[in-house]
Structures are given as C-alpha cells and as structure tokens.
C-alpha cells in the first residue's frame, strides 16, 4: 500500500468548532483526500492525500468554503537581471512554483514580491526556484542591506569594470580606427609595430576586455542561450563573441576565410563592452535616484531616543522601545515613534508625513507621529506604536507594495518582451544569411557587421524599465506630497477617472459639527431632553454625537447613565435611560419607529434649508425635540472642486444627510450631482448608477460607512484623518484632510501614466526604427550602415533616456487648487 502524501498549512477565518467541521468537510470532499484534520487551537490543517488531489485543489476548496489558507509575503533581492526578458523569466519561474499565489518582479530595483501559501513552500525553496532560472536570489530580512546600499555597491562595481574596460579598449580603438581615418597613421603603425603585430596586440587587449570586465555577459548569456531562454546578455555575448572570433581567425588563420574578407573587428567587440557597461553605470545611478523617496522616508526615523526608566532618562536604540515607554523629546528633535503626549506643548512639523507645511499644535492627549520634527517646545509622550506598527513604517510598506505592483498596461509589454529576444536572434540570423547571399564583396564582412549590429541594438533594457521606474518615482513623489497609493494599479485607474464622488461629513466638511439649534416639543424641558439625548450619544463615535455631548457639557447639563444601547447604521441609536426608551437619529429612524413629529417637521425642514443637519429625538415613542447641527466646509473644499472641474471631471456628493442640507453644500462647493439621504448600501447603488455611462469613478470618503463605497469605486480615496476601516478599503490615502490632495493624486496619476506612455513609445519606437537600419535595410537605397559600436551607444542611450525621463516626476509639486 502506497504511503499518502501529507501537507500541513495554516488556515484563516476559524472561530469555532463548526468552522473546523466545515473546513474539514471542504477538504475531505476533494477527490483523493484520505484524511483531513483541522486544529482550531493552532489554526492549522493536516491533510493526507493521493492523486488526483493536489495542494492547489486543497487551497481552492478551503477558499471556496470561506477559510482561505494562510499566505505569507516574501521579498527577494535578485542578482543578474539586466532586461525585461530576465525579469519575465524570473517572474514566470516563481509564478509556476508550487505554493505560489502570485509574484511580481521589479527590474527597477531588482526585487521580487512573492505571496505564497504557508506550509506548501518556504522562502528557501523560492530562492532556489530563482536560482534554477539562472539568477541569484537573496531573501530580504530586516538586517539585509538596504536597496540603496545594494545599488551603491552595484554602481561602484560597474564604475570599476567600466574604467578597466575603457583603459584596455582605448588603444584598440585608437590603433584600428585611427588607421582607417588617417592614412599616415596607418602607415606609421605598419612601420613602427607592424600590422600583424598590431592585430595580435589588439587581440590580446580585446580578450582582456571580453573575459575580464565583459565576462559577466558570457557567464549569464551563454547558459541562458543553451537553455533556450536567451536574454540581453545572450545578445551581447553572441554579438561580441562573433566579432572577436571572426577577428581572431582573420589574425591567426586568414587562409580559412574567403579572399578579401580577412578583416578584424576587435575595436567593435571591445568598445561595445565599454559602452554597454557605461550605459549600465548611468542606468544604475539613475535607478538609485528613482528610489530616493523611499530612502528619504526610511531616513526620517532617528536611530536613538531618550527614554525615562526607573526615574532616570537615558538614550537607547530605537529598536529597544516598547509600547508604554515614556519618551522625552527636546526642541528641534525628531519624534522617534508614535505616541500620545503626556506633558508639555509644542508645534510639530508633520509635513514629511502628511505633506501639510503648517506645523500642528500638540499638547497633552494629542497624538504624535514618529519621524516628524518637534518645534520649540519640549514634549514628553507615551509610546503607543513601535517598530513595524508605526505610521511611518506602514507608509513605507504601502509605498514599497505599490512600487512592486504591475499596471495593466504592463501586460502587453510583457507579452511582447517574452518573445522579443528570440525574434531578434532570428532577425540577426536572417540578416547574416541575406547579406551572405545578396551582399556585395566582402559579403562575409558585411554579414558579420550587420548581424552583430542587430544583436546589440535590440537589447530590451528600455522596455523592462519603462513602467516600473515611472511607478517607483511617481509613487515615491506622491508619498512625499502626502498621497499614498496603496495599490500601484490605482495609478493607472485614477488617471482615467471621469467622475469624482465625495462623502460629505468629514470629507467635504470639517467633520467637527457643532450644535446650533434645539427645538423641543411642547411640554418638554430643553435641557432635560438634551441630557437624555447626550446620554444616548455618549456611546456613539459619530461626529454629530460628539457635537451634542460637547454642547451638553458647555451648558453644564447632567448626562445620566444609559443601558441597552443599540445602533443601526445610517438610521440612529437607542438606549434605556431612567426607565425611558430614548431614540436619536435621522428622520427615517423616527419613521421606522412610527413616531410623528407634527409641527416639528416643518422646523426641521427650515433648519435643513439653512444648510444644517436636523437630528430627531423621541422619548417613549413620543416626539421630544429636533436639534440642528452645522458642520462647516473645509477651507480647501471649494477650491478642490473647482480644480477638478477645470481638469474636465464631473463631481458628485453622496451622503446620508437630508436633501436640503446636501443641496446647500452642493451650491456652496459647485458640485454637479447630489445623492442624499442614503444608507451605506445606498451609496454603493448610487455609485453603480453614476458609473452606468462607462466612465471610471473615484470615491472620496473617511468613515466606516464609506468602506463599502470605497471598495466598490474604481478608485477609492480615503482621508487619512478618517477611520482605519475606510483606509483599509481604499486604493489611495490622503495623509491630511486637505481635499487638494485629491487633485494632487489625480494630476500625479496622469503625469505618471503620460511618462510611462512616453517611455514605452521610445522603447518600442527605438527598436522598430533602428533594428531595420542595423540590418542594413537602407543600404540598397543609398542609406547608411549602422556600426556595431554606434548600435551599442544607441542601446545604452535608450535605457538611460527612459530612466532619466521617469526621474522628471521627482519635481512634481502639490496640485494648485486656486
């Protein structure tokens, strides 16, 4: 009897014994499963199975049952990738590896982001998968060299190799090309050194170039070619190897070649290596600059902090801070971690996190953010979030995740690039054949030169860098301006949006409403009713509840204790107070409970027409009062809406507030369309109606009730000052409450996509135009032939152009909202 295969992996979503039973049943129903055991305490599954069952089927069954297998995320630093073909081969190998959910490889920072099922594979196996594809992978850990350090090391190595190659290649180029350009120099070489000796010296120097600094092309390119997966290194290795090999034969065994064809091309082989290394040197420096935003964010956090322990203050490493520690911050110092002020007052510069230039006043009970800069006052605060939990660490994680995302536009590039190098090699072979058959004498020399030129000029570096470099720079610059793209593909979708819809409270308005009016029913004491309403609202976190509570405190109205509190999202709340059932909420809450407000209804309509939000209260089933709350517009709301309309976008407001108040806000801001008096699911339906004409839609919100709408919209934009639930549901987060951030995000999206299109146009256009020229297509019509040396220079220039063009995004500024 054959032994079963076994697998053990974590499961998410388990909460009770019935969950365990359902998960076990889902696993057991997969054909081939012999035994399935799920452990609630450890949240793991142990499965014994035979064919036809396989791990992927087990994972799918659990996911369908609502208990997906646990996934982990791994970042690998990849060595040896030089072009889009390399990137796609690494990605393909990872995606096809057992246990991998998805993988994204970034050529711009030579990394791979992999999500895999725990228990089915592990980081070491995934690194080995990359090794099997011909590249080296290092597992990124907390103590791994930073990307900047790796890029600096790569730059220094390339600088050294380029210098050595140039020193060796200059004599070869001078002797050979000088002799062609200056006949007297050619004669002088023959008299002093001898032409045969000159060729042998060139052979020696070129061999040192190819098998010294240029050895990397052969070590990576030839194995890839043998495996049937040629890449850029293969093109360079074959091209320079062919030129060198032909020249060696022409030098040491010229009789093997047809008469008149024993020419040497040592200078082409040597200078090609120098130019490609120099191009990579410039590319490495530019790629390093592309990641400057992330390095800037990482550099915000100080290395040490002054902590109060055992009644003494000492300086410790930031890694040793734990939640609850009391931290002292002197004027001008950086705040090390997130916390809550206990004593002192100061103004803190939070511009590096929120993008807002005005320092924020801080005092007892105020929150402070790690990485921000304290002003002139001294602060003492208690650490609340440290390490990976701080806002700064989460921002860095969001930006890095966005930079690793592939945009939809990249899919076409990937499909083309996958076949590009093999097609180029076929074109080069065809070029050689055509020149041998139809070319003028010496046909073999023409065939070699043009074949090598095709191989060299067609390296697809620029294609692989066109999209990820722009994403890196664009998302990094956005973070510096207080706009976080949590998902990189939101960059593309936001730029195509035709409609921007807004929530009202806390988004267009300050979200800090104040009680302005209270109209009590006949026979009701105003302060007594306010106290009962405040007692209900004391258990609510809604901004209106806060306004009512603050008004009660200002009036010194006693707030009695409440019991049996219950709330219905979008309607209102209820509680028992001193034996009375008190209801507080919107008019629809009263309608649902069959409470008639009589003449107070007209008063509520009047308050709403003034732009105020009416709040209804009932006691034991009878109308008690109508309150009015006014929430002022944010100072930038009108300007932001104006800017969006100037950019050609339609604007809408979707709110749970009443129609009269919503229309008043719309008139003040200039919003085009208004949907009012809707519940959270009504917001989703309203979004679907707005999207009915096919235009992409962005939704901006800040509250828990906005989460479904944020998830439904093509692009969800959350106000960073809002709830965590809203932020988690969004694609883009504005770190401040300033709505001009929406304009900034939109313009950055459009600029980044325009930059990507420019890069792709250059990368593809360059190859489409110059490959035929390199093949000699223009020669029969009196046009020029393209020297392999010029081809190498053009190839290097194309990559540097693409990265340099992306770097222009670093100078994008806050969008103007005036």
């Amino acid at each position: 009897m054959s032994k079963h295969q076994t697998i053990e992996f974590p499961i998410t979503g388990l909460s009770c014994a019935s969950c365990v039973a359902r998960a076990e049943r889902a696993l057991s129903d997969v054909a081939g499963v012999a035994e399935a055991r799920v452990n609630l305490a450890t949240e793991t599954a142990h499965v014994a199975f035979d064919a036809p069952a396989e791990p992927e089927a087990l994972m799918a069954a659990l996911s369908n049952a609502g208990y997906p297998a646990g996934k982990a995320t791994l970042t690998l630093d990849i060595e040896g990738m030089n072009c889009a073909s390399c990137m796609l081969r690494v990605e393909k190998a990872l995606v096809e590896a057992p246990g991998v959910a998805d993988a994204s490889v970034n050529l711009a920072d030579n990394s791979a982001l992999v999500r895999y099922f725990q228990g089915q594979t592990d980081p070491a196996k995934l690194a080995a998968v990359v090794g099997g594809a011909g590249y080296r992978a290092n597992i990124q850990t907390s103590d791994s060299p930073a990307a900047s350090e790796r890029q600096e090391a790569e730059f220094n190595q390339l600088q050294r190799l380029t210098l050595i190659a140039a020193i060796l290649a200059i004599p070869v180029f001078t002797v050979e090309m000088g002799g062609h350009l200056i006949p007297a120099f050619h004669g002088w070489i023959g008299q002093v050194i001898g032409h045969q000796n000159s060729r042998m010296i060139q052979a020696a120097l070129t061999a040192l170039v190819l098998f010294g600094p240029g050895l990397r092309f052969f070590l990576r390119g030839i194995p890839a070619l043998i495996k049937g997966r040629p890449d850029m290194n293969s093109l360079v290795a074959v091209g320079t190897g062919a030129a060198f090999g032909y020249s060696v034969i022409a030098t040491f065994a010229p009789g093997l070649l047809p008469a008149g064809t024993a020419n040497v091309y040592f200078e082409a082989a040597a200078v090609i290596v120098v130019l490609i290394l120099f191009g990579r040197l410039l590319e490495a420096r530019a790629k390093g600059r592309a990641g400057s935003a992330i390095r800037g964010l990482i550099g915000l956090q100080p290395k040490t902090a002054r902590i109060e322990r055992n009644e003494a203050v000492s300086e410790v490493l930031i890694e040793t801070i734990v939640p609850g520690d009391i931290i002292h911050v002197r004027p001008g110092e950086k705040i090390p971690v997130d916390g809550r002020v206990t004593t002192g007052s100061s103004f803190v510069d939070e511009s590096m996190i929120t993008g807002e230039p005005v320092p924020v006043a801080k005092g007892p009970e105020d929150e402070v953010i790690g990485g921000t800069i304290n002003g002139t006052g001294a602060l003492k605060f208690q650490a609340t979030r440290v390490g990976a939990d701080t806002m700064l660490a989460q921002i860095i994680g969001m930006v890095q995740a966005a930079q690793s995302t592939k945009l939809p536009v990249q899919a076409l590039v990937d499909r083309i690039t996958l076949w590009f190098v093999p097609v180029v090699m076929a074109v080069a072979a065809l070029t050689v054949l055509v020149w041998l058959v139809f070319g003028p004498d010496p046909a073999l020399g023409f065939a070699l030169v043009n074949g090598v030129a095709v191989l060299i000029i067609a390296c697809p570096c620029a294609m692989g860098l066109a999209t990820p470099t722009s994403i890196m720079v664009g998302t990094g610059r956005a973070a510096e301006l207080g706009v976080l793209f949590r998902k990189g593909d939101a960059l593309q979708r936001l730029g195509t949006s035709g409609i921007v819809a807004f929530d009202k409270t806390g988004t267009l308005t300050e979200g800090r409403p104040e009680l302005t009016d209270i109209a009590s029913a006949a026979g009701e004491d105003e302060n007594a009713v306010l106290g009962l309403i405040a007692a209900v609202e004391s258990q609510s976190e809604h901004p209106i509840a806060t306004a009512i509570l603050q008004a009660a405190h200002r009036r010194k109205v006693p707030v009695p204790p409440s019991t049996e509190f219950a709330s219905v999202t979008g309607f209102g709340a209820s509680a028992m107070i001193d034996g009375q059932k008190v209801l507080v909420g919107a008019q629809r809450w009263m309608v649902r409970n069959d409470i008639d407000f009589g003449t107070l209804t007209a008063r509520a309509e009047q308050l709403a027409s003034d732009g105020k939000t009416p709040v209804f209260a009932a006691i034991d089933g009878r109308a008690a009062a109508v309150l009015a709350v006014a929430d002022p517009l944010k100072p930038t709301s009108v300007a932001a809406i104006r800017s969006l309309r100037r950019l050609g976008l339609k604007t809408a407001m979707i709110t749970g507030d009443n129609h009269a108040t919503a229309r008043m806000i719309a008139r003040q801001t200039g919003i085009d369309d208004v949907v009012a008096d809707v519940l959270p699911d009504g917001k989703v339906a309203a979004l679907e109606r707005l999207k009915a004409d096919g235009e992409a839609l962005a939704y901006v919100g800040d509250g828990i009730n906005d989460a479904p709408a944020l998830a439904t919209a093509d692009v969800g934009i959350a106000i960073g000052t809002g709830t965590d639930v809203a932020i988690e549901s969004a694609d883009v987060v504005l770190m401040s409450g300033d709505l001009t951030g929406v304009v900034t995000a939109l313009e950055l999206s459009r600029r980044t996509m325009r930059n990507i299109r420019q890069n792709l146009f250059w990368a593809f256009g360059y190859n489409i135009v110059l490959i035929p020229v390199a093949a000699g297509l223009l020669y029969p019509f009196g046009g020029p032939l393209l020297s392999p040396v010029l081809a190498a220079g053009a190839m290097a220039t194309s990559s540097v152009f693409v990265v340099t063009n992306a770097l222009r995004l670093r100078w994008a500024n806050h969008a103007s909202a005036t």
Side-chain angles (χ1 to χ4, degrees), residues 537-563:
E537 299 289 30
S538 65
Q539 299 192 53
S540 172
E541 295 182 354
H542 195 283
I544 289 178
T546 304
I548 293 171
L549 275 169
Q550 288 175 344
H553 292 320
R554 281 196 302 270
R555 293 189 180 196
K556 295 184 170 51
V557 173
V559 179
S562 62
T563 59

Side-chain angles (χ1 to χ4, degrees), residues 562-607:
S562 62
T563 59
E564 300 181 32
F565 175 83
S567 66
V568 178
T569 303
F571 284 85
S574 66
M576 293 299 297
I577 305 162
D578 295 333
Q580 303 177 93
K581 185 172 184 179
V582 181
L583 278 68
V584 181
Q587 186 174 17
R588 56 179 169 268
W589 185 222
M590 302 303 146
V591 172
R592 175 187 276 200
N593 288 277
D594 297 322
I595 300 171
D596 182 13
F597 269 70
T599 57
L600 285 177
T601 303
R603 176 63 173 149
E605 291 173 353
Q606 180 188 348
L607 292 169

Side-chain angles (χ1 to χ4, degrees), residues 54-104:
E54 56 184 16
E56 288 76 10
L58 300 176
M59 306 298 175
L62 279 174
S63 182
N64 291 334
Y67 307 101
K71 294 178 185 176
T73 301
L74 167 71
T75 301
L76 297 172
D77 297 321
I78 313 293
E79 296 180 14
M81 292 194 304
N82 301 114
C83 66
S85 296
C86 302
M87 176 187 72
L88 288 174
R89 287 193 182 90
V90 173
E91 190 167 278
K92 188 170 184 287
L94 286 170
V95 168
E96 293 177 351
V100 172
D102 56 69
S104 178

Side-chain angles (χ1 to χ4, degrees), residues 349-358 372 395 477-483 734-738 740 744 814:
D349 180 0
E350 297 183 343
S351 60
M352 60 287 300
I353 301 293
T354 65
E356 290 296 307
V358 180
T372 57
I395 289 172
R477 181 55 181 157
E480 292 175 342
L481 296 176
V483 177
L734 309 181
M735 293 309 297
S736 72
D738 188 344
T740 55
T744 299
H814 270 295

Side-chain angles (χ1 to χ4, degrees), residues 31-214:
V33 171
E35 181 186 23
R37 297 195 310 271
V38 175
N39 189 316
L40 179 61
T42 60
E43 296 186 326
T44 58
H46 180 90
V47 185
F49 63 96
D50 294 310
E54 56 184 16
E56 288 76 10
L58 300 176
M59 306 298 175
L62 279 174
S63 182
N64 291 334
Y67 307 101
K71 294 178 185 176
T73 301
L74 167 71
T75 301
L76 297 172
D77 297 321
I78 313 293
E79 296 180 14
M81 292 194 304
N82 301 114
C83 66
S85 296
C86 302
M87 176 187 72
L88 288 174
R89 287 193 182 90
V90 173
E91 190 167 278
K92 188 170 184 287
L94 286 170
V95 168
E96 293 177 351
V100 172
D102 56 69
S104 178
V105 179
N106 191 332
L107 181 62
D109 63 359
N110 293 322
S111 70
L113 185 68
V114 189
R115 288 198 310 140
Y116 63 94
F117 293 105
Q118 293 173 296
Q120 195 176 350
T121 188
D122 56 53
K125 289 179 182 176
L126 295 173
V129 166
V130 176
Y135 305 87
R136 181 177 176 181
N138 299 307
I139 300 167
Q140 195 176 102
T141 61
S142 58
D143 56 354
S144 297
S148 58
E149 294 176 13
R150 298 195 306 272
Q151 288 167 339
E152 190 64 30
E154 179 188 11
F155 178 81
N156 291 335
Q157 182 188 36
L158 284 169
Q159 194 173 41
R160 184 172 63 255
L161 292 176
T162 304
L163 181 62
I164 294 170
I167 291 172
L168 294 171
I170 286 173
V172 178
F173 182 80
T174 302
V175 168
E176 187 62 28
M177 297 308 295
H180 286 303
L181 296 173
I182 307 172
F185 183 73
H186 180 76
W188 181 81
I189 291 293
Q191 292 176 359
V192 176
I193 303 175
H195 292 300
Q196 182 62 16
N197 290 335
S198 170
R199 288 187 170 189
M200 289 191 290
I201 292 171
Q202 290 181 53
L205 291 173
T206 303
L208 291 174
V209 171
L210 293 184
F211 304 111

